[in-house]
Amino acid sequence: MRRPLVWIMTALVLGECSIIFTKAWIAAAIGLAAICAASESIRTHRILRGVRMLFFCFCITAAGGWRGSLYLERQQAAAALEEKTELTISGVIVKRQETQTGYRYLLTRCSTYDTIQVMVPTSEPVAEVGAAVVLKGEVKLWEEAGNPGNFDARYYYESQGIFLQLTECSILAVDLQADRLRTGLERWREHWRERLHQSCGEKEKEAGVLQSIILGDKTELDETVQQLYRLNGISHILSISGLHISLVGMAVYRLLRKFLSRGKSVGPALLCSVLFGMMTGSGVATVRALVMLGIRLTADWQGRAYDGSTALSVAVIWLLWENPGYMQASGFWLSVLSVLGILVVTPAIRSMAVLSVSAVRAVWNSVTISVGALLTTLPVQLWFFYQISVYSVLLNLIVVPCMGLVIGFGILGCIVAGVWTAAGKICILPGVWILQFYEWLCEKAVKLPGAVWYAGKPELWQMILYYAIGTIAVISISCRRRKQPGRAGKVRRSLL
């Protein structure tokens, strides 16, 4: 069977989807398993292999249903609590953040609720990351969206696996043993944040944007800029994603390859990437990019061909097994589908035009990447946000190629500022100028006629029809480029 991990990922997704959304996961498991078994039996003419495939797919889908049921149990347990209910709970601190009213902690291993967010009104931190605590506080319900398409705090935090929020907390007991690695990364992040603001000087708006781009910290991000980026379809640059991970990981790997062998270069490159991901918050797109980068570097080390579909499948399995709630998160779907579009749709679009001039071909390749990502994420964007930026493809052609310069000059300015502040301000200036250009570009683009298309939320059947037509179109285009007849089946399997 070609690409078995793709089938495993499909079975897991179907199992979790069916239990979370329809609760008919047994029928879904049998249906998927029957289809896989039948296709395998027909292809190989081996009934026994088809039966094994039937059983295997059923087990994977059932495992997905089990994980989905655990997620629903925690969600229902938190939903049963009322506002201002006093609760005593224990857990382990995995994240700490200073706010205007105190410190916000993220606790895990909290029995029934698994992960919760607590607010402690103190001017000084009561415990380090990794410490076990027992605390008492009042339940505060998440705010729901006032209008369709607005931010829904309850929906968002539950999709991240955070089912409960406690306020006015008092610490009853603390185990002072801390996670030295996470504590060190947190201090390192705070140190870099101070250097970043030191380098930017009075340019607080640009400092907040750089802080979000480089460190994944949006606490000081200007709301006007964030809204401007979102309306123009470039808000993805504010999150730590594959672009950032690739820049860090591949830069370290290529530097080490000048002096070391492939095997000795892979480990340090992956270590730096993982530490960077942990320091910046380990978001959905970050974890997805780390998994795919790890598979890519391992394939290069072993002298094997890198398969993007398999790497993406492993990343999806990893994320959904850890937290089935990602099935309801816009960030998960946008991250996964944009990569899928680049892997599957972009090559099909590129094959429609054969260009001999290298400069024109480079522009065409950039356009197809943006178009491929847009086509695969269009229904999801409308499902979650009810609108889409019409000129986002053109804007991304300008914004994305310059992001390497923004990140590079930002990091350089922070490093130099640690030695000489004035020199650090000079080094970071090109990155600041590029961000100011981005803001000016967005202000002009949003004033163009039809800049934002308010299409509303599509129906589920419309999304299924859209992806079905798109799949048929991609297969048809790919098959038409094949000179040898009878290759349609191979092309179809290669897309899977």
Side-chain angles (χ1 to χ4, degrees), residues 196 209-216 240 244 276 280 406-407 410-411:
L196 192 60
V209 177
L210 283 173
Q211 182 176 316
S212 175
I213 292 174
I214 299 175
L215 301 177
I240 305 298
H244 305 73
F276 177 74
T280 54
V406 174
I407 297 173
I411 294 176

Side-chain angles (χ1 to χ4, degrees), residues 160 240 277-278 280-290 319 326:
Q160 303 301 309
I240 305 298
M278 292 175 63
T280 54
S282 300
V284 174
T286 306
V287 175
R288 190 268 308 159
L290 283 172
L319 287 166
Y326 287 143

Side-chain angles (χ1 to χ4, degrees), residues 81 177 249 329:
L81 297 173
Q177 184 178 1

Side-chain angles (χ1 to χ4, degrees), residues 165-415:
Q165 178 182 207
L166 298 181
T167 59
E168 301 300 326
C169 295
S170 58
I171 305 297
L172 302 180
V174 180
D175 180 3
L176 297 179
Q177 184 178 1
D179 186 333
R180 294 183 178 179
L181 177 59
R182 290 185 179 275
T183 302
L185 290 174
E186 182 184 358
R187 291 174 178 172
W188 185 253
R189 181 184 185 181
E190 181 63 23
H191 178 65
W192 273 76
R193 189 185 71 83
E194 293 176 357
R195 284 193 178 185
L196 192 60
H197 283 267
Q198 187 179 10
S199 302
C200 291
E202 297 179 356
K203 299 177 177 62
E204 293 295 331
K205 184 187 295 186
E206 288 75 16
V209 177
L210 283 173
Q211 182 176 316
S212 175
I213 292 174
I214 299 175
L215 301 177
D217 185 359
K218 294 184 173 65
T219 55
E220 299 184 32
L221 180 62
D222 187 86
E223 293 184 3
T224 304
V225 175
Q226 187 176 12
Q227 178 72 1
L228 200 59
Y229 280 25
R230 189 180 65 82
L231 288 175
N232 287 277
I234 63 169
S235 59
H236 59 88
I237 69 173
L238 299 173
S239 302
I240 305 298
S241 61
L243 174 64
H244 305 73
I245 299 299
S246 298
L247 283 174
V248 174
M250 296 307 296
V252 175
Y253 179 68
R254 288 168 181 166
L255 178 63
L256 294 177
R257 282 290 290 121
K258 297 181 180 294
F259 311 99
L260 302 174
S261 62
R262 289 180 178 177
K264 294 180 179 179
S265 302
V266 168
L270 283 178
L271 179 61
C272 291
S273 301
V274 170
L275 292 177
F276 177 74
M278 292 175 63
M279 184 182 71
T280 54
S282 300
V284 174
T286 306
V287 175
R288 190 268 308 159
L290 283 172
V291 173
M292 297 187 70
L293 177 65
I295 295 176
R296 178 181 178 182
L297 293 180
T298 303
D300 187 52
W301 170 30
Q302 296 295 325
R304 305 289 294 274
Y306 170 71
D307 183 66
S309 301
T310 299
L312 181 61
S313 300
V314 174
V316 172
I317 293 171
W318 182 300
L319 287 166
L320 292 183
W321 186 262
E322 178 188 3
N323 177 24
Y326 287 143
M327 297 292 298
Q328 304 179 80
S330 60
F332 169 80
W333 287 110
L334 292 175
S335 177
V336 171
L337 290 177
S338 61
V339 175
L340 184 64
I342 294 172
L343 292 174
V344 176
V345 179
T346 295
I349 299 175
R350 285 180 180 175
S351 66
M352 298 173 65
V354 180
L355 304 174
S356 57
V357 181
S358 58
V360 177
R361 186 167 60 249
V363 174
W364 172 245
N365 290 342
S366 298
V367 171
T368 54
I369 289 175
S370 297
V371 172
L374 175 63
L375 290 176
T376 51
T377 59
L378 177 60
V380 175
Q381 291 187 54
L382 294 178
W383 177 272
F384 285 102
F385 308 115
Y386 301 8
Q387 63 186 37
I388 190 170
S389 172
V390 176
Y391 304 112
S392 62
V393 172
L394 298 177
L395 290 174
N396 277 287
L397 289 177
I398 302 172
V399 170
V400 174
C402 298
M403 281 305 298
L405 296 175
V406 174
I407 297 173
F409 284 118
I411 294 176
L412 179 63
C414 291
I415 295 174

